[in-house]
C-alpha cells in the first residue's frame, strides 16, 4: 500500500506565454519534470515528489485539458506538440536551462515530443508504462504500420462514451464497470490493489475536461472496421498514429539522445501487446462485432513497438534500459512506490555522475 503524503507540496499557478498552468513543486536543485497520463493529473505524482532526494527540484504540471490548468483546446493534428510547447513555455518562464523528464502513459508520448523539440537540454528520460511511440490504436506491427490508410480504430471514437459521460458528471460511486472508480481500480492498478490515496486519485481522474472538442474528442465515420477514424480535437485524437508517429520519428532523428529508463508492470492491461483498450484485442475477444481477423487488424503490439523503437534509438546513438515490475499494472509509481523511486533516483544520479566524470 502507498503511504499517505505527509508534507505539503508547493501549489503554483504560473502564467506563461501560452497559458496559465497549475504546477505541483518540491525541492531545489536540478529540475525533474513529471508529466502525467490521460484521465489523471499532476496529483498522481504527489508521493514521487515527496520522496525526491535533496538536490532535485520536482515540477509536476497539469497538462492542458486536465486538473487546474487553464482550459484551452488541444489541436490534435499536432500530435502531442501542444502539450510540448506548453511545457517548454513553462520551463522558459521558470528559467530552467536543463532538466530531466519523467512521463507516465500519455506523458511518455509527450516525453518523445520533448526529446524531438529540446533534446540538447534534456539530461535523462524516464518512461513509465508509456504508450507506443507510434500512437494508440490501429497499427499492426513493430514498426507502427497502420491497419488502414485512414487510421480507423484510433482517436476519439474509440472511447467508451459512457465512461466519458460519467467523468463529466463527477461520478464517485462504484456503480458498475463503467464507473470511473471501477475503471481506475480495475485497469490503472492490478487488482486487488487499492491505494490509500484513492479519493485523491479519483478526484484527479475526474478533473479531465470532457466534451466533443475535449475528452474524448471528435471522430469521423470510416468504411473500415471498426467504423470510426480520428478527428482533430482532444487528447485521444492527439495520440492517434495519424498524428503521433511523426513526432516519434523526429525524436529518432534528433541529437544528442538522452539516456532512457523504461519502467513497466508485467500485468498492465492498458498498454500491452494485448491491450484491453485496443480494438484489435477487443475484436479478437469477440467484444466488438465484425472483426476482420488478425491478418487485417491484429492487436496493436504496443510493448513490442516501444522496444523496437528504443532499439532503433540505440542504433542511432542513444542508450536505454527496460525494467519490468512483477505483479504490477499500469501505474508502477503508485502500486510499488519505493521500488519505483529507487529506480528513478538511481537513473537520475547515474546521469549526474556521468556528466561530472
Amino acid at each position: 500500500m502507498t503511504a499517505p503524503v505527509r508534507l505539503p507540496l508547493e501549489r503554483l499557478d504560473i502564467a506563461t506565454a501560452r497559458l496559465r498552468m497549475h504546477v505541483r513543486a518540491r525541492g531545489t536543485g536540478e529540475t525533474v519534470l513529471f508529466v502525467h497520463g490521460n484521465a489523471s493529473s499532476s496529483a498522481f505524482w504527489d508521493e514521487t515528489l515527496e520522496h525526491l532526494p535533496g538536490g532535485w527540484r520536482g515540477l509536476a504540471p497539469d497538462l492542458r485539458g486536465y486538473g487546474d490548468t487553464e482550459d484551452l483546446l488541444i489541436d490534435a493534428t499536432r500530435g502531442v506538440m501542444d502539450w510540448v510547447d506548453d511545457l517548454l513555455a513553462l520551463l522558459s518562464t521558470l528559467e530552467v536551462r536543463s532538466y530531466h523528464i519523467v512521463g507516465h502513459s500519455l506523458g511518455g508520448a509527450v516525453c518523445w515530443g520533448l526529446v524531438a523539440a529540446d533534446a540538447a537540454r534534456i539530461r535523462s528520460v524516464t518512461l513509465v508504462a508509456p504508450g507506443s511511440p507510434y500512437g494508440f490504436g490501429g497499427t499492426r506491427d513493430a514498426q507502427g504500420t497502420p491497419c488502414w490508410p485512414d487510421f480507423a480504430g484510433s482517436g476519439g471514437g474509440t472511447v467508451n462514451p459512457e465512461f466519458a459521460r460519467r467523468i463529466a458528471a463527477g461520478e464517485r460511486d462504484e456503480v458498475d464497470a463503467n464507473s470511473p472508480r471501477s475503471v481506475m481500480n480495475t485497469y490503472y492498478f492490478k487488482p486487488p490493489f487499492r491505494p490509500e490515496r484513492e479519493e485523491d486519485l479519483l478526484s484527479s481522474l475526474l478533473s479531465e475536461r470532457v466534451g466533443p472538442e475535449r475528452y474524448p474528442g471528435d471522430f469521423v465515420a470510416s468504411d473500415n472496421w471498426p467504423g470510426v477514424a480520428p478527428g482533430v480535437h482532444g487528447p485521444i485524437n492527439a495520440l492517434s498514429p495519424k498524428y503521433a508517429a511523426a513526432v516519434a520519428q523526429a525524436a529518432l532523428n534528433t541529437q544528442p539522445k538522452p539516456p532512457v529508463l523504461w519502467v513497466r508492470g508485467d500485468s498492465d492491461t492498458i498498454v500491452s501487446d494485448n491491450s484491453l483498450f485496443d480494438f484489435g484485442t477487443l475484436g479478437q475477444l469477440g467484444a466488438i462485432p465484425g472483426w476482420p481477423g488478425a491478418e487485417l487488424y491484429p492487436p496493436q503490439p504496443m510493448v513490442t513497438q516501444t522496444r523496437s523503437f528504443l532499439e532503433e534509438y540505440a542504433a542511432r546513438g542513444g542508450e536505454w534500459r527496460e525494467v519490468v515490475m512483477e505483479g504490477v499494472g499500469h501505474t508502477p509509481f503508485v502500486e510499488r512506490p519505493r521500488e519505483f523511486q529507487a529506480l528513478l533516483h538511481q537513473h537520475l544520479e547515474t546521469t549526474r555522475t556521468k556528466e561530472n566524470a
Side-chain angles (χ1 to χ4, degrees):
M1 301 289 285
T2 61
V5 174
R6 296 181 295 273
L7 299 174
L9 301 171
E10 296 177 74
R11 301 286 294 272
L12 310 173
D13 282 299
I14 299 174
T16 77
R18 288 177 57 83
L19 79 172
R20 179 192 54 78
M21 298 195 77
H22 179 75
V23 182
R24 283 167 153 80
R26 177 182 292 282
T28 59
E30 289 189 47
T31 296
V32 186
L33 180 68
F34 292 89
V35 189
H36 65 77
N38 184 52
S40 65
S41 74
S42 61
F44 267 70
W45 293 116
D46 277 1
E47 189 172 10
T48 309
L49 288 170
E50 178 191 5
H51 289 94
L52 201 61
W56 300 93
R57 170 71 162 166
L59 299 174
D62 292 336
L63 299 175
R64 73 163 66 192
Y66 305 85
D68 294 322
T69 283
E70 184 179 357
D71 182 19
L72 298 181
L73 295 182
I74 298 162
D75 179 359
T77 66
R78 303 188 68 222
V80 300
M81 296 311 292
D82 266 357
W83 292 311
V84 168
D85 287 346
D86 291 345
L87 293 173
L88 292 177
L90 172 67
L91 294 169
S92 176
T93 300
L94 296 176
E95 299 183 339
V96 174
R97 295 184 179 180
S98 65
Y99 56 101
H100 304 253
I101 51 177
V102 184
H104 173 233
S105 196
L106 175 150
V110 176
C111 282
W112 287 124
L114 284 165
V115 170
D118 201 32
R121 297 199 300 156
I122 297 172
R123 296 295 174 254
S124 74
V125 179
T126 302
L127 305 173
V128 191
S132 166
Y134 302 112
F136 199 99
T139 59
R140 63 169 59 252
D141 56 23
Q143 291 71 45
T145 306
C147 296
W148 307 117
D150 64 352
F151 299 88
S154 69
T158 66
V159 173
N160 181 344
E162 182 62 12
F163 177 58
R165 185 190 71 78
R166 294 187 185 192
I167 292 176
E171 181 182 289
R172 302 190 72 92
D173 294 336
E174 201 157 2
V175 178
D176 55 33
N178 290 319
S179 300
R181 187 185 299 271
S182 299
V183 170
M184 182 178 75
N185 285 320
T186 302
Y187 300 107
Y188 287 32
F189 323 120
K190 181 182 180 181
F193 175 87
R194 294 183 84 125
E196 289 188 15
R197 295 181 58 234
E198 182 175 340
E199 297 307 317
D200 289 342
L201 299 184
L202 178 61
S203 296
S204 176
L205 186 163
L206 294 172
S207 74
E208 181 160 19
R209 308 297 171 47
V210 176
E213 295 184 331
R214 290 171 173 80
Y215 176 77
D218 57 335
F219 62 91
V220 298
S222 173
D223 292 332
N224 298 309
W225 187 88
V228 291
V232 297
H233 296 294
I236 306 306
N237 285 312
L239 293 178
S240 166
K242 182 175 182 179
Y243 310 119
V247 175
Q249 187 59 49
L252 281 179
N253 291 335
T254 193
Q255 291 291 346
K257 288 181 165 58
V260 176
L261 171 65
W262 172 25
V263 181
R264 63 182 183 87
D266 68 350
S267 302
D268 190 342
T269 56
I270 295 178
V271 174
S272 79
D273 283 354
N274 289 280
S275 168
L276 294 178
F277 290 73
D278 172 60
F279 271 43
T281 302
L282 294 172
Q284 189 175 63
L285 293 173
I288 298 176
W291 182 56
E295 184 176 347
L296 291 177
Y297 209 108
Q300 180 183 358
M302 300 177 187
V303 171
T304 297
Q305 288 176 349
T306 295
R307 189 174 296 113
S308 175
F309 181 88
L310 286 168
E311 288 170 350
E312 180 62 23
Y313 186 80
R316 300 190 188 195
E319 59 180 270
W320 64 283
R321 175 189 176 209
E322 177 183 1
V323 177
V324 182
M325 297 172 64
E326 294 183 5
V328 171
H330 187 59
T331 317
F333 57 98
V334 174
E335 296 169 78
R336 295 251 277 277
R338 300 298 176 264
E339 187 175 340
F340 172 78
Q341 290 159 20
L343 290 167
L344 173 62
H345 301 167
Q346 179 187 39
H347 185 53
L348 295 174
E349 291 295 344
T350 298
T351 306
R352 174 186 278 173
T353 299
K354 286 182 178 179
E355 289 177 352
N356 293 334

Short mmCIF file of all heavy atoms in Angstrom, two decimals, residues 138-180:
data_model
loop_
_atom_site.label_atom_id
_atom_site.label_comp_id
_atom_site.label_asym_id
_atom_site.label_seq_id
_atom_site.Cartn_x
_atom_site.Cartn_y
_atom_site.Cartn_z
N GLY A 138 -4.86 1.00 -33.86
CA GLY A 138 -4.89 0.98 -35.32
C GLY A 138 -3.59 0.70 -36.03
O GLY A 138 -3.49 0.99 -37.22
N THR A 139 -2.60 0.12 -35.36
CA THR A 139 -1.37 -0.26 -36.06
C THR A 139 -1.10 -1.75 -35.85
O THR A 139 -1.55 -2.35 -34.87
CB THR A 139 -0.15 0.56 -35.60
OG1 THR A 139 0.05 0.39 -34.18
CG2 THR A 139 -0.36 2.04 -35.89
N ARG A 140 -0.30 -2.34 -36.74
CA ARG A 140 -0.27 -3.79 -36.83
C ARG A 140 1.05 -4.46 -36.47
O ARG A 140 1.07 -5.66 -36.19
CB ARG A 140 -0.62 -4.22 -38.26
CG ARG A 140 0.38 -3.73 -39.31
CD ARG A 140 0.18 -4.38 -40.69
NE ARG A 140 -1.13 -4.15 -41.26
CZ ARG A 140 -2.07 -5.09 -41.36
NH1 ARG A 140 -1.81 -6.31 -40.92
NH2 ARG A 140 -3.23 -4.82 -41.88
N ASP A 141 2.17 -3.74 -36.50
CA ASP A 141 3.45 -4.42 -36.37
C ASP A 141 4.42 -3.59 -35.56
O ASP A 141 4.09 -2.50 -35.06
CB ASP A 141 4.03 -4.75 -37.75
CG ASP A 141 4.19 -3.52 -38.64
OD1 ASP A 141 4.28 -2.39 -38.10
OD2 ASP A 141 4.22 -3.68 -39.88
N ALA A 142 5.65 -4.10 -35.40
CA ALA A 142 6.65 -3.45 -34.56
C ALA A 142 7.03 -2.08 -35.07
O ALA A 142 7.52 -1.24 -34.30
CB ALA A 142 7.88 -4.33 -34.44
N GLN A 143 6.84 -1.82 -36.36
CA GLN A 143 7.21 -0.54 -36.96
C GLN A 143 6.05 0.45 -36.98
O GLN A 143 6.20 1.56 -37.51
CB GLN A 143 7.72 -0.77 -38.39
CG GLN A 143 9.05 -1.48 -38.47
CD GLN A 143 8.96 -2.95 -38.09
OE1 GLN A 143 8.06 -3.66 -38.53
NE2 GLN A 143 9.90 -3.42 -37.27
N GLY A 144 4.89 0.08 -36.44
CA GLY A 144 3.77 1.01 -36.35
C GLY A 144 3.01 1.19 -37.66
O GLY A 144 2.38 2.24 -37.87
N THR A 145 3.02 0.20 -38.54
CA THR A 145 2.28 0.29 -39.81
C THR A 145 0.78 0.34 -39.55
O THR A 145 0.25 -0.51 -38.83
CB THR A 145 2.60 -0.92 -40.70
OG1 THR A 145 4.01 -1.03 -40.87
CG2 THR A 145 1.91 -0.80 -42.06
N PRO A 146 0.06 1.32 -40.10
CA PRO A 146 -1.38 1.39 -39.85
C PRO A 146 -2.14 0.23 -40.48
O PRO A 146 -1.78 -0.25 -41.56
CB PRO A 146 -1.79 2.73 -40.49
CG PRO A 146 -0.72 3.03 -41.49
CD PRO A 146 0.54 2.45 -40.94
N CYS A 147 -3.19 -0.22 -39.81
CA CYS A 147 -4.03 -1.28 -40.35
C CYS A 147 -4.81 -0.78 -41.56
O CYS A 147 -5.03 -1.54 -42.52
CB CYS A 147 -4.99 -1.78 -39.28
SG CYS A 147 -4.20 -2.56 -37.86
N TRP A 148 -5.23 0.47 -41.52
CA TRP A 148 -6.00 1.07 -42.62
C TRP A 148 -5.39 2.44 -42.95
O TRP A 148 -4.84 3.10 -42.09
CB TRP A 148 -7.46 1.28 -42.23
CG TRP A 148 -8.20 0.10 -41.70
CD1 TRP A 148 -8.74 -0.02 -40.45
CD2 TRP A 148 -8.54 -1.10 -42.38
NE1 TRP A 148 -9.38 -1.21 -40.31
CE2 TRP A 148 -9.28 -1.91 -41.49
CE3 TRP A 148 -8.29 -1.58 -43.68
CZ2 TRP A 148 -9.79 -3.15 -41.83
CZ3 TRP A 148 -8.79 -2.83 -44.02
CH2 TRP A 148 -9.52 -3.60 -43.11
N PRO A 149 -5.56 2.89 -44.19
CA PRO A 149 -4.99 4.20 -44.57
C PRO A 149 -5.56 5.38 -43.79
O PRO A 149 -4.88 6.39 -43.63
CB PRO A 149 -5.34 4.31 -46.07
CG PRO A 149 -5.51 2.90 -46.53
CD PRO A 149 -6.09 2.16 -45.35
N ASP A 150 -6.81 5.26 -43.31
CA ASP A 150 -7.41 6.38 -42.58
C ASP A 150 -7.24 6.24 -41.06
O ASP A 150 -7.83 7.00 -40.31
CB ASP A 150 -8.89 6.52 -42.93
CG ASP A 150 -9.74 5.32 -42.51
OD1 ASP A 150 -9.15 4.29 -42.08
OD2 ASP A 150 -10.98 5.40 -42.62
N PHE A 151 -6.44 5.26 -40.61
CA PHE A 151 -6.15 5.04 -39.20
C PHE A 151 -7.40 4.72 -38.39
O PHE A 151 -7.50 5.05 -37.20
CB PHE A 151 -5.41 6.25 -38.60
CG PHE A 151 -4.08 6.52 -39.25
CD1 PHE A 151 -4.00 7.35 -40.37
CD2 PHE A 151 -2.92 5.94 -38.78
CE1 PHE A 151 -2.78 7.60 -40.99
CE2 PHE A 151 -1.71 6.18 -39.39
CZ PHE A 151 -1.63 7.01 -40.50
N ALA A 152 -8.37 4.06 -39.03
CA ALA A 152 -9.58 3.65 -38.33
C ALA A 152 -9.21 2.77 -37.13
O ALA A 152 -8.28 1.97 -37.18
CB ALA A 152 -10.50 2.88 -39.28
N GLY A 153 -9.99 2.95 -36.07
CA GLY A 153 -9.71 2.22 -34.83
C GLY A 153 -8.84 2.98 -33.87
O GLY A 153 -8.44 2.44 -32.83
N SER A 154 -8.55 4.24 -34.17
CA SER A 154 -7.82 5.12 -33.25
C SER A 154 -8.59 6.42 -33.13
O SER A 154 -9.49 6.72 -33.93
CB SER A 154 -6.39 5.37 -33.73
OG SER A 154 -6.37 6.16 -34.91
N GLY A 155 -8.24 7.22 -32.14
CA GLY A 155 -8.87 8.53 -32.00
C GLY A 155 -10.09 8.53 -31.10
O GLY A 155 -10.42 7.55 -30.42
N GLY A 156 -10.80 9.65 -31.10
CA GLY A 156 -11.87 9.91 -30.16
C GLY A 156 -13.03 8.95 -30.21
O GLY A 156 -13.71 8.74 -29.19
N GLY A 157 -13.26 8.34 -31.35
CA GLY A 157 -14.38 7.41 -31.47
C GLY A 157 -14.17 6.08 -30.79
O GLY A 157 -15.10 5.27 -30.71
N THR A 158 -12.97 5.84 -30.30
CA THR A 158 -12.68 4.55 -29.66
C THR A 158 -12.95 4.54 -28.17
O THR A 158 -12.84 3.50 -27.53
CB THR A 158 -11.21 4.15 -29.91
OG1 THR A 158 -10.34 5.09 -29.24
CG2 THR A 158 -10.88 4.14 -31.39
N VAL A 159 -13.28 5.69 -27.60
CA VAL A 159 -13.51 5.79 -26.15
C VAL A 159 -14.96 5.44 -25.83
O VAL A 159 -15.89 5.84 -26.54
CB VAL A 159 -13.18 7.22 -25.66
CG1 VAL A 159 -13.58 7.39 -24.20
CG2 VAL A 159 -11.71 7.51 -25.85
N ASN A 160 -15.15 4.70 -24.75
CA ASN A 160 -16.49 4.38 -24.27
C ASN A 160 -17.19 5.68 -23.87
O ASN A 160 -16.79 6.33 -22.90
CB ASN A 160 -16.39 3.44 -23.08
CG ASN A 160 -17.75 3.02 -22.53
OD1 ASN A 160 -18.78 3.63 -22.82
ND2 ASN A 160 -17.75 1.98 -21.72
N PRO A 161 -18.24 6.09 -24.60
CA PRO A 161 -18.88 7.38 -24.28
C PRO A 161 -19.51 7.41 -22.90
O PRO A 161 -19.64 8.48 -22.30
CB PRO A 161 -19.93 7.53 -25.40
CG PRO A 161 -20.17 6.14 -25.90
CD PRO A 161 -18.88 5.42 -25.75
N GLU A 162 -19.90 6.24 -22.38
CA GLU A 162 -20.50 6.21 -21.05
C GLU A 162 -19.46 6.55 -19.98
O GLU A 162 -19.77 7.24 -19.00
CB GLU A 162 -21.10 4.83 -20.78
CG GLU A 162 -21.80 4.69 -19.44
CD GLU A 162 -23.00 5.60 -19.27
OE1 GLU A 162 -23.46 6.21 -20.25
OE2 GLU A 162 -23.47 5.72 -18.11
N PHE A 163 -18.23 6.10 -20.16
CA PHE A 163 -17.16 6.44 -19.24
C PHE A 163 -16.91 7.95 -19.26
O PHE A 163 -16.80 8.59 -18.21
CB PHE A 163 -15.89 5.68 -19.63
CG PHE A 163 -14.68 6.01 -18.79
CD1 PHE A 163 -14.69 5.83 -17.42
CD2 PHE A 163 -13.53 6.49 -19.39
CE1 PHE A 163 -13.57 6.12 -16.64
CE2 PHE A 163 -12.39 6.79 -18.62
CZ PHE A 163 -12.42 6.61 -17.25
N ALA A 164 -16.85 8.54 -20.45
CA ALA A 164 -16.65 9.99 -20.55
C ALA A 164 -17.80 10.75 -19.92
O ALA A 164 -17.60 11.76 -19.22
CB ALA A 164 -16.48 10.39 -22.01
N ARG A 165 -19.03 10.28 -20.13
CA ARG A 165 -20.20 10.96 -19.54
C ARG A 165 -20.12 10.96 -18.03
O ARG A 165 -20.44 11.96 -17.37
CB ARG A 165 -21.48 10.25 -20.00
CG ARG A 165 -22.76 10.95 -19.54
CD ARG A 165 -23.99 10.12 -19.77
NE ARG A 165 -24.06 8.96 -18.89
CZ ARG A 165 -24.42 9.02 -17.61
NH1 ARG A 165 -24.75 10.18 -17.06
NH2 ARG A 165 -24.48 7.92 -16.88
N ARG A 166 -19.66 9.86 -17.46
CA ARG A 166 -19.62 9.76 -16.00
C ARG A 166 -18.47 10.60 -15.42
O ARG A 166 -18.59 11.08 -14.29
CB ARG A 166 -19.51 8.30 -15.59
CG ARG A 166 -20.76 7.51 -15.96
CD ARG A 166 -20.73 6.13 -15.39
NE ARG A 166 -21.86 5.35 -15.86
CZ ARG A 166 -22.20 4.17 -15.34
NH1 ARG A 166 -21.49 3.65 -14.35
NH2 ARG A 166 -23.23 3.51 -15.81
N ILE A 167 -17.40 10.76 -16.16
CA ILE A 167 -16.36 11.70 -15.72
C ILE A 167 -16.95 13.10 -15.67
O ILE A 167 -16.77 13.83 -14.68
CB ILE A 167 -15.15 11.65 -16.66
CG1 ILE A 167 -14.41 10.33 -16.53
CG2 ILE A 167 -14.19 12.81 -16.34
CD1 ILE A 167 -13.25 10.17 -17.51
N ALA A 168 -17.65 13.48 -16.73
CA ALA A 168 -18.25 14.82 -16.78
C ALA A 168 -19.24 15.03 -15.64
O ALA A 168 -19.37 16.14 -15.11
CB ALA A 168 -18.93 15.03 -18.12
N ALA A 169 -19.95 13.96 -15.25
CA ALA A 169 -20.92 14.05 -14.17
C ALA A 169 -20.26 14.02 -12.80
O ALA A 169 -20.94 14.23 -11.77
CB ALA A 169 -21.93 12.91 -14.28
N GLY A 170 -18.95 13.74 -12.76
CA GLY A 170 -18.25 13.68 -11.48
C GLY A 170 -18.65 12.49 -10.63
O GLY A 170 -18.60 12.55 -9.40
N GLU A 171 -19.01 11.39 -11.27
CA GLU A 171 -19.49 10.21 -10.54
C GLU A 171 -18.39 9.60 -9.67
O GLU A 171 -17.34 9.22 -10.17
CB GLU A 171 -20.00 9.16 -11.52
CG GLU A 171 -20.54 7.91 -10.84
CD GLU A 171 -21.00 6.88 -11.86
OE1 GLU A 171 -22.04 7.11 -12.52
OE2 GLU A 171 -20.31 5.84 -12.01
N ARG A 172 -18.66 9.46 -8.38
CA ARG A 172 -17.68 8.89 -7.45
C ARG A 172 -18.08 7.51 -6.95
O ARG A 172 -17.24 6.76 -6.45
CB ARG A 172 -17.47 9.83 -6.25
CG ARG A 172 -16.99 11.23 -6.63
CD ARG A 172 -16.57 12.03 -5.40
NE ARG A 172 -15.32 11.53 -4.85
CZ ARG A 172 -14.12 12.00 -5.19
NH1 ARG A 172 -14.00 12.98 -6.08
NH2 ARG A 172 -13.03 11.49 -4.63
N ASP A 173 -19.35 7.15 -7.06
CA ASP A 173 -19.81 5.85 -6.58
C ASP A 173 -19.36 4.74 -7.53
O ASP A 173 -19.22 4.95 -8.74
CB ASP A 173 -21.33 5.83 -6.47
CG ASP A 173 -21.84 6.77 -5.39
OD1 ASP A 173 -21.07 7.09 -4.47
OD2 ASP A 173 -23.01 7.21 -5.50
N GLU A 174 -19.15 3.58 -6.96
CA GLU A 174 -18.74 2.42 -7.76
C GLU A 174 -19.99 1.68 -8.21
O GLU A 174 -20.36 0.63 -7.69
CB GLU A 174 -17.82 1.51 -6.94
CG GLU A 174 -16.95 0.62 -7.79
CD GLU A 174 -15.71 0.16 -7.05
OE1 GLU A 174 -15.54 0.51 -5.87
OE2 GLU A 174 -14.91 -0.54 -7.67
N VAL A 175 -20.66 2.25 -9.22
CA VAL A 175 -21.97 1.74 -9.65
C VAL A 175 -21.82 0.46 -10.44
O VAL A 175 -22.51 -0.54 -10.19
CB VAL A 175 -22.71 2.82 -10.47
CG1 VAL A 175 -24.04 2.29 -10.97
CG2 VAL A 175 -22.90 4.09 -9.66
N ASP A 176 -20.94 0.46 -11.43
CA ASP A 176 -20.74 -0.70 -12.29
C ASP A 176 -19.38 -0.57 -12.96
O ASP A 176 -18.57 0.29 -12.58
CB ASP A 176 -21.86 -0.84 -13.33
CG ASP A 176 -22.05 0.42 -14.17
OD1 ASP A 176 -21.06 1.13 -14.45
OD2 ASP A 176 -23.20 0.71 -14.57
N ALA A 177 -19.12 -1.40 -13.97
CA ALA A 177 -17.79 -1.46 -14.59
C ALA A 177 -17.42 -0.17 -15.31
O ALA A 177 -16.24 0.08 -15.56
CB ALA A 177 -17.72 -2.63 -15.56
N ASN A 178 -18.40 0.66 -15.69
CA ASN A 178 -18.12 1.91 -16.38
C ASN A 178 -17.88 3.08 -15.44
O ASN A 178 -17.57 4.19 -15.89
CB ASN A 178 -19.28 2.27 -17.33
CG ASN A 178 -19.35 1.33 -18.52
OD1 ASN A 178 -18.32 0.97 -19.09
ND2 ASN A 178 -20.56 0.93 -18.89
N SER A 179 -18.04 2.87 -14.14
CA SER A 179 -17.81 3.94 -13.18
C SER A 179 -16.33 4.31 -13.17
O SER A 179 -15.47 3.43 -13.19
CB SER A 179 -18.22 3.49 -11.78
OG SER A 179 -19.59 3.17 -11.74
N PRO A 180 -16.00 5.59 -13.11
CA PRO A 180 -14.59 5.99 -13.06
C PRO A 180 -13.81 5.29 -11.95
O PRO A 180 -12.66 4.87 -12.17
CB PRO A 180 -14.67 7.50 -12.85
CG PRO A 180 -15.95 7.89 -13.53
CD PRO A 180 -16.89 6.77 -13.25
#
